[in-house]
Amino acid sequence: NAVWIHRNLAAALLGAGRKAEAKASLETLLAAHPDMTIKRFKEAMVFSPVTLERIGNQLRELGLPEA
């Protein structure tokens, strides 16, 4: 499902200073996966712990729930 790209795209857009687009990206993800949380994101991805923490913090800033 191509919607999964929004797990990373939302954080990347926020990191680029494009907060409105980042929020829209997260909304797209949540429309398809309303039960998405930071915990689930971290469990699904295979990034280093440092990268998972950074992206988790960005998703948190956008309003994604922790668990």
Side-chain angles (χ1 to χ4, degrees):
N1 185 335
V3 173
W4 279 113
I5 192 64
H6 291 280
R7 292 180 297 184
N8 300 330
L9 182 59
L13 287 166
L14 182 65
R18 297 162 61 179
K19 191 167 187 174
E21 291 171 272
K23 285 186 172 276
S25 179
L26 183 63
E27 289 173 14
T28 299
L29 175 65
L30 290 175
H33 302 281
D35 58 345
M36 178 57 63
T37 63
I38 293 169
K39 180 178 186 274
R40 288 186 174 170
F41 167 82
K42 288 181 176 181
E43 290 171 349
M45 302 308 289
V46 293
F47 298 127
S48 70
V50 171
T51 300
L52 286 174
E53 191 61 29
R54 177 179 48 79
I55 295 173
N57 287 338
Q58 290 168 315
L59 294 173
R60 188 176 297 109
E61 183 177 338
L62 292 170
L64 189 66
E66 193 68 41

